Amino acid sequence: KYLPQPDVTILLDIPPEVSARRKSADRDKYERDLALLARVRDSYLRQAAHGWVRIDADRDRDAVAAEVFAAVADRV
């Protein structure tokens, strides 16, 4: 209520199955629950539909970083 609104909110979106492949060891109980992660992702996608910038994070990190930089540069 008393905080300023953000200039941009970015969602780095990645399917749970892909994130599980990226981190195959030392996953906690939440990281192992792909059904839970899918529900959480769906929730974030619904929120992102209201003005957030959704970036496909299932790509090369340099491509993701460039898109994040461009999204921020366009809005500040």
Side-chain angles (χ1 to χ4, degrees), residues 6-30:
D7 292 320
V8 62
T9 301
I10 296 175
L11 172 64
L12 299 177
D13 181 31
I14 188 167
E17 300 78 20
V18 175
S19 66
R21 284 195 307 269
R22 288 187 178 181
K23 183 181 179 188
S24 58
D26 299 324
R27 291 174 28 215
D28 64 26
K29 70 178 184 175
Y30 301 106

Side-chain angles (χ1 to χ4, degrees), residues 14-67:
I14 188 167
E17 300 78 20
V18 175
S19 66
R21 284 195 307 269
R22 288 187 178 181
K23 183 181 179 188
S24 58
D26 299 324
R27 291 174 28 215
D28 64 26
K29 70 178 184 175
Y30 301 106
E31 293 169 324
R32 291 189 300 267
D33 188 345
L34 294 184
L36 170 65
L37 293 178
R39 290 191 306 273
V40 170
R41 179 184 183 218
D42 288 342
S43 174
Y44 276 109
L45 289 173
R46 282 192 303 275
Q47 293 175 68
H50 300 284
W52 295 11
V53 175
R54 182 196 158 273
I55 294 178
D56 178 8
D58 185 13
R59 298 177 294 150
D60 173 75
R61 75 173 71 183
D62 291 332
V64 173
E67 193 170 345

